[in-house]
Amino acid sequence: MPTFKKIAAILNPPAPHMVGDGFRVHNFFPSGYKIKMDPFYLLDYNAKIEFSPTNKLRGVGVHPHRGFETVTIAYRGAVAHHDSAGNSGVIYPGDVQWMTAGSGILHKEYHEESYSKKGGLFQMVQLWVNLPAKYKMSTPKYQALPNDGIAKYHLPEGNGYIEVIAGEYQGIKGSASTFTPIEVYNLKPNAGAKVSLASPANYNTALIIIEGSVTINGTEQATTNQMVHFVNEGSDIEIEAKENSIVLFLSGDPINEPIAQYGPFLMNKPEELQQAIEDYNTGKFGYLE
């Protein structure tokens, strides 16, 4: 018999706010809800929105990061990015951008030019994944994960599939390398399909219903734009799609270290934040126009 993870809460999206002029996000945590999701520190969800055509590139200008990773998952629209390590690219629907800021990097992201000119639907998730103290000053790196390169598990009888972005599902290893044990999947079941998931009881776990509606553990209902947060008990989760759905699954082994955060810096001690600010102000994060 499965030992189901109990649902702590089914959370509606908090009031949205703008990040720059290109991202209208609902911050589920840490601001929206005070929930335990370590090693995931932040989740900004840009629910589906229509942007009008423009010749101006909407987005966020140059800004620094240190001490964590940013993970951007594209569902609709297109985002271009550049960083001070010389990386650049565009993510389209189904793609993932996984950036390790580590010791420090400058970054900017904005709507891709041809998408901006045409306008249309836009939907994204951005995660901040914390790094343990011993890795906070690691060399910045970037993992480009185009959709055709993301590992997939196909559900029986053509009932959809699971994109294994990080972690491992049914022997399928995720495409991203991570510093600590985390599971990040896009579940894409068809109507009526069931998906069984499992993660250790101590892992902090949540689902975000990107599209559609589902029944969880045979009892609870969740629908588009809601987050399902689980208690740290049990290991099993069963999801049944009531319609063709997309569900983001997040589960991770908590780092359980002190956190000192200021703006785009995520460290362990206040003095490390001061050092980050000083390093940024003296140009040690590189240069980016």
Side-chain angles (χ1 to χ4, degrees):
M1 290 289 291
T3 307
F4 286 129
K5 280 187 180 290
K6 295 179 181 177
I7 294 173
I10 296 177
L11 306 169
N12 290 319
H17 67 276
M18 293 299 296
V19 176
D21 63 358
F23 304 92
R24 180 181 179 270
V25 303
H26 306 270
N27 181 257
F28 274 101
F29 59 84
S31 298
Y33 296 98
K34 305 301 180 185
I35 58 176
K36 290 196 308 180
M37 279 301 294
D38 176 16
F40 305 100
Y41 179 78
L42 173 148
L43 190 150
D44 273 345
Y45 173 47
N46 192 130
K48 196 183 298 180
I49 185 174
E50 179 117 14
F51 279 103
S52 59
T54 179
N55 289 320
K56 178 183 182 293
L57 297 183
R58 301 180 176 104
V60 182
V62 178
H63 55 282
H65 292 303
R66 171 178 281 182
F68 63 101
E69 301 182 288
T70 66
V71 180
T72 306
I73 305 171
Y75 296 97
R76 294 175 185 267
V79 172
H81 73 94
H82 289 84
D83 67 38
S84 56
N87 298 304
S88 64
V90 178
I91 56 171
Y92 297 98
D95 299 342
V96 176
Q97 172 200 330
W98 197 297
M99 186 182 76
T100 303
S103 61
I105 202 165
L106 301 179
H107 186 238
K108 63 179 179 179
E109 50 204 333
Y110 43 89
H111 295 185
E112 185 271 333
E113 185 175 2
S114 61
Y115 164 76
S116 294
K117 289 180 177 178
K118 290 184 295 184
L121 290 174
F122 191 85
Q123 187 179 26
M124 302 270 164
V125 164
Q126 184 167 96
L127 299 166
W128 287 14
V129 180
N130 194 16
L131 290 172
K134 63 182 178 181
Y135 295 127
K136 282 193 177 293
M137 296 298 286
S138 58
T139 302
K141 68 174 184 177
Y142 170 74
Q143 299 177 75
L145 304 175
N147 188 260
D148 60 7
I150 293 175
K152 296 175 179 66
Y153 174 86
H154 292 274
L155 298 172
E157 301 176 3
N159 275 324
Y161 57 95
I162 297 171
E163 296 171 348
V164 189
I165 298 167
E168 184 173 341
Y169 183 81
Q170 300 288 5
I172 304 292
K173 293 190 175 181
S175 301
S177 64
T178 66
F179 287 83
T180 61
I182 61 174
E183 310 289 329
V184 181
Y185 315 151
N186 266 327
L187 316 176
K188 297 187 174 181
N190 296 335
K194 290 184 178 180
V195 177
S196 296
L197 303 165
S199 62
N202 71 302
Y203 277 33
N204 292 320
T205 303
L207 305 170
I208 300 90
I209 316 303
I210 304 296
E211 194 168 297
S213 57
V214 298
T215 300
I216 302 155
N217 297 343
T219 56
E220 301 288 336
Q221 311 290 319
T223 191
T224 303
N225 297 341
Q226 290 184 318
M227 171 182 278
V228 183
H229 185 230
F230 292 89
V231 176
N232 294 100
E233 297 175 11
S235 59
D236 299 304
I237 300 169
E238 185 178 82
I239 296 168
E240 181 177 1
K242 310 309 290 181
E243 56 190 302
N244 291 357
S245 298
I246 302 174
V247 179
L248 178 62
F249 172 73
L250 305 174
S251 189
D253 191 6
I255 297 170
N256 290 328
E257 291 179 349
I259 288 178
Q261 182 260 333
Y262 176 77
F265 306 130
L266 190 59
M267 306 303 291
N268 297 104
K269 302 173 183 177
E271 54 265 35
E272 293 169 341
L273 291 179
Q274 291 300 321
Q275 186 65 54
I277 294 167
E278 181 180 333
D279 289 349
Y280 168 62
N281 287 335
T282 54
K284 292 183 180 177
F285 283 49
Y287 176 76
L288 183 65
E289 290 185 350

